[in-house]
Amino acid sequence: EGDLITEIAPGINISGRSARLEAELDYQMQSLFFLSNSDASSINQQLDARATAEITKNFFFVDASSRMGQAVVSANSTISRNNYNDAGNQTDYYAYGVSPYIRPHFGGYADGTFRYSLDHVRYEDDASNSLANRVDANLVSGRKFGLLSWFTNYVFNDINRSKADDARFQNADGEARYL
């Protein structure tokens, strides 16, 4: 059954950069008005915000992000690719993340990145919320190794879910080459 839909979607995009801070905020309020099926009319909040701060010059950084929008609840039900079809299979979600990290330099011998990330996703309408803790570490050879180059990486991820099995995994790899 068809319907006439009117969309009003005011939004704002703000971005800025300074010597030690870079940030962007993109927000839209999508208002949908259905002529025949007014019960399907909705207001959908959509946000994508992120920032990177350099706390200590060339060493300590913090990334932060926040998102809000609509997501599919069940892959086994009717799926709509947008908010225009009232498939009854979407819910609002809210997500945030924070990730402090350091980038040490070891006197020309190696450069590294050591990062911790915390990400939280919360869904309305009884969908599965999650809280993820992640550690990333990597080292890359520096110029003092000359023709020998190498790297090593490590990742640990622990995801706790409210309506699904928790997941935990880790991986380590590396490589060395002589050119």
Side-chain angles (χ1 to χ4, degrees):
E1 183 176 316
D3 204 343
L4 177 66
I5 304 169
T6 301
E7 176 183 20
I8 301 173
I12 186 168
N13 181 287
I14 301 170
S15 62
R17 179 182 293 201
S18 69
R20 295 172 87 170
L21 179 66
E22 185 175 335
E24 181 175 2
L25 177 127
D26 189 8
Y27 172 79
Q28 178 177 316
M29 182 180 73
Q30 179 191 44
S31 302
L32 298 175
F33 302 98
F34 290 74
L35 182 63
S36 299
N37 184 13
S38 62
D39 289 342
S41 297
S42 64
I43 296 177
N44 302 303
Q45 311 289 337
Q46 297 159 345
L47 171 73
D48 186 9
R50 63 183 74 96
T52 298
E54 184 177 10
I55 307 301
T56 305
K57 189 171 177 77
N58 294 324
F59 181 72
F60 180 45
F61 303 82
V62 176
D63 290 344
S65 65
S66 181
R67 294 175 314 281
M68 116 174 100
Q70 292 69 50
V72 172
V73 175
S74 172
N76 298 326
S77 297
T78 304
I79 296 175
S80 173
R81 294 182 51 210
N82 54 46
N83 293 327
Y84 304 124
N85 298 322
D86 185 24
N89 190 28
Q90 284 186 316
T91 188
D92 292 330
Y93 74 90
Y94 310 92
Y96 69 85
V98 63
S99 180
Y101 59 101
I102 60 172
R103 288 190 172 157
H105 306 284
F106 300 102
Y109 290 100
D111 295 313
T113 302
F114 302 95
R115 176 187 293 265
Y116 169 75
S117 301
L118 173 72
D119 293 294
H120 182 253
V121 180
R122 184 178 65 83
Y123 294 93
E124 296 288 329
D125 298 340
D126 206 28
S128 183
N129 302 325
S130 67
L131 180 66
N133 291 278
R134 181 179 169 120
V135 174
D136 292 90
N138 71 51
L139 281 174
V140 178
S141 60
R143 68 184 185 285
K144 289 191 177 182
F145 276 90
L147 296 177
L148 175 66
S149 67
W150 55 267
F151 73 86
T152 182
N153 296 308
Y154 173 77
V155 175
F156 172 81
N157 207 347
D158 183 29
I159 304 169
N160 298 299
R161 300 178 187 142
S162 62
K163 302 253 180 194
D165 291 337
D166 293 345
R168 178 178 284 178
F169 62 88
Q170 60 185 338
N171 183 55
D173 68 336
E175 180 179 287
R177 292 182 181 202
Y178 187 78
L179 303 174

